[in-house]
């Protein structure tokens, strides 16, 4: 399966890219995240408050994935 992955805010800065396509068999966003972390250089994705979205809808890491999904990772949003 192919998953389009986008990185926002300081995650984009830390990784030096704003998107990539990842090939693999990922049942959930958590499985995708773990794969990225294991590749090395993705430690920013281990943060406890990591937020994610699947196909532009906020979700949790246990969200299931299917071929062609788009996943976004971003830090918590704060406002005032």
């Amino acid at each position: 399966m192919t998953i389009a992955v986008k990185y926002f805010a300081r995650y984009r800065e830390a990784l030096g890219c704003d998107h990539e396509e990842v090939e693999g068999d990922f049942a959930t966003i958590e499985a995708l995240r773990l794969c990225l972390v294991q590749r090395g250089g993705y430690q920013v994705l281990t943060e406890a408050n990591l937020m994610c979205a699947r196909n532009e809808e906020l979700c949790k890491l246990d969200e299931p994935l299917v071929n062609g999904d788009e996943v976004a990772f971003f830090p918590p949003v704060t406002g005032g």
Side-chain angles (χ1 to χ4, degrees):
M1 92 175 33
T2 301
I3 304 295
V5 184
K6 293 186 174 185
Y7 307 103
F8 290 93
R10 63 185 169 81
Y11 292 174
R12 174 181 58 223
E13 294 167 13
L15 297 171
C17 69
D18 61 357
H19 72 280
E20 66 178 305
E21 287 195 358
V22 180
E23 298 277 339
D25 187 23
F26 312 109
T28 63
I29 292 176
E30 174 67 357
L32 170 65
R33 186 191 69 79
L34 289 173
C35 175
L36 292 169
V37 169
Q38 290 172 354
R39 284 193 335 194
Y42 289 79
Q43 289 309 108
V44 70
L45 299 182
T46 64
E47 293 182 351
N49 294 328
L50 172 91
M51 295 185 69
C52 60
R54 176 179 167 253
N55 301 327
E56 300 183 6
E57 301 261 343
L58 288 175
C59 63
K60 298 194 184 272
L61 289 170
D62 62 356
E63 182 78 13
L65 292 175
V66 297
N67 187 44
D69 277 347
E70 176 187 274
V71 172
F73 292 111
F74 47 96
V77 179
T78 60

